[in-house]
Amino acid sequence: MTGYFILNHASLKRYNTLRLDVVAHTLVMPHTVEGLVSALRDFNDRKIVVIGNGSNIFFSKEYYDESHVFVLTNLINDIEYNGTEIICEAGTRMHRLAWFACEQSLGELAFTEDIPGTLGGGLFMNAGQWKQTIGQYVNWIEVYNIEKDEVQRLIPDEDFFAYRYSKLNNLPVYVLRCGIKAVPGNYEEVLAKMLDYRHERYVKQPRNFANAGSVFKRPKDKEGNSLFVWKLFDEVELRGFRIGDALVSEKHPGFIVNAGNAKVDDISAVIAECKKRVKDTFDVDLELEWRVI
């Protein structure tokens, strides 16, 4: 038993939240953590791309040949509470972690309710909102080290996580599962916070179109002061800018959305125009928050 399924010439449209209809020669779907490790071992001679919920990623090509292998983790999503911590597999959705913690009357994880990704991706980018990030609550991370061909447990130090970043990005590892701190809380208070977070995001963000979350990291000016992307975009009249079905959101210009059947080239062209206008006007270099494949 390999512990995974293989699909050939598979559309990735349902596996990315931008709903770009790109095709992969090889798509692997592990159904256990052991199957994930087996897949990583079996395909280590190719470029491996792990997809969780498919949020925060941008496919930059219409077709990926056999040199790439896409590994989908959405079936690896067990979550349990052992009385001291929450143990989550890599494919566990962030919003499911929030609801699970709420059901156990555990606090401080309400902020994960409306984060669209999985724990695996969330750990790589230290996902969060407001002043909270997932890295603040991680006890340990179990990974597969592809260079050493072994499963390891990492204990993050105080420098392991930073803004939209973790040291996982510099290691030859893939996340398998992790342990999250269990903080006692009040069920009703946690539930109220979760609903507040969701309300705020639905009011401010473009939920009527497919998107992959915020496109650019928050930039800084020459003095090191943080700038708001949406304000910069409004100054250079990017709100509503459109190429094909790729659209800078009217509701929140920090988002580029798929307004119908956007193509890879449409999204790329809109990104390029956004960078150009901001650079030309403010001499600010925009950095993508999306992971480009």
Side-chain angles (χ1 to χ4, degrees):
M1 289 292 290
T2 59
Y4 58 80
F5 309 106
I6 300 176
L7 299 177
N8 293 123
H9 302 289
S11 171
L12 298 177
K13 185 172 184 177
R14 65 184 296 185
Y15 304 122
N16 74 101
T17 59
L18 259 175
R19 296 295 181 256
L20 294 176
D21 192 12
V22 305
V23 174
H25 178 277
T26 309
L27 175 63
V28 178
M29 302 178 68
H31 46 85
T32 64
V33 168
E34 293 72 24
L36 173 57
V37 173
S38 293
L40 295 171
R41 284 176 172 149
D42 293 346
F43 294 99
N44 68 0
D45 60 336
R46 307 193 208 178
K47 171 65 176 178
I48 295 174
V49 180
V50 176
I51 303 175
N53 186 47
S55 57
N56 205 56
I57 63 174
F58 171 53
F59 295 123
S60 62
K61 299 196 296 184
E62 298 284 350
Y63 178 74
Y64 291 87
D65 62 21
E66 58 270 26
S67 65
H68 284 70
V69 172
F70 290 82
V71 179
L72 191 66
T73 64
N74 65 344
L75 299 180
I76 308 170
N77 57 13
D78 283 352
I79 181 169
E80 63 177 275
Y81 173 50
N82 64 9
T84 58
E85 64 183 359
I86 303 171
I87 301 173
C88 304
E89 291 183 345
T92 304
R93 296 278 299 275
M94 296 286 280
H95 82 89
R96 184 162 172 248
L97 169 62
W99 284 98
F100 181 88
C102 179
E103 290 161 1
Q104 307 298 322
S105 295
L106 300 174
E108 298 196 25
L109 294 172
F111 74 96
T112 66
E113 196 281 332
D114 204 36
I115 295 176
T118 60
L119 257 296
L123 292 172
F124 270 89
M125 69 170 294
N126 194 21
Q129 62 172 322
W130 303 108
K131 296 182 179 180
Q132 290 177 283
T133 65
I134 192 63
Q136 296 171 260
Y137 301 95
V138 175
N139 288 333
W140 52 266
I141 308 170
E142 185 179 280
V143 300
Y144 171 65
N145 186 313
I146 199 165
E147 289 185 355
K148 296 184 176 181
D149 187 23
E150 65 181 25
V151 174
Q152 303 172 331
R153 177 170 287 200
L154 306 179
I155 309 297
D157 58 27
E158 62 181 11
D159 298 322
F160 194 88
F161 292 100
Y163 174 69
R164 297 295 182 263
Y165 168 84
S166 79
K167 289 183 179 179
L168 291 170
N169 291 275
N170 302 328
L171 300 173
V173 300
Y174 296 88
V175 173
L176 304 178
R177 55 170 67 90
C178 70
I180 303 293
K181 296 174 185 177
V183 180
N186 177 277
Y187 173 83
E188 292 186 0
E189 291 177 0
V190 173
L191 178 60
K193 285 184 179 180
M194 288 166 54
L195 297 178
D196 282 345
Y197 282 127
R198 170 154 289 206
H199 176 265
E200 283 296 308
R201 287 205 168 196
Y202 267 74
V203 166
K204 296 178 180 179
Q205 297 183 1
R207 295 306 177 99
N208 53 330
F209 292 120
N211 68 83
S214 297
V215 183
F216 299 103
K217 295 180 181 179
R218 183 175 294 179
K220 294 183 178 180
D221 61 20
K222 301 301 182 182
E223 287 72 41
N225 301 309
S226 291
L227 304 171
F228 290 100
V229 172
W230 69 268
K231 287 186 177 180
L232 298 178
F233 280 18
D234 276 348
E235 287 288 328
V236 294
E237 300 181 345
L238 278 167
R239 188 186 294 259
F241 177 77
R242 181 171 187 156
I243 296 177
D245 278 342
L247 172 71
V248 176
S249 172
E250 295 271 10
K251 189 173 186 180
H252 190 318
F255 290 72
I256 295 173
V257 302
N258 182 349
N261 189 31
K263 306 299 182 185
V264 168
D265 288 347
D266 298 336
I267 301 287
S268 296
V270 171
I271 290 172
E273 182 64 18
C274 291
K275 287 184 172 182
K276 182 179 184 303
R277 291 194 194 183
V278 170
K279 178 66 174 177
D280 290 347
T281 303
F282 303 105
D283 195 23
V284 169
D285 294 305
L286 292 178
E287 182 182 354
L288 281 176
E289 189 167 307
W290 288 351
R291 173 188 172 205
V292 179
I293 310 300

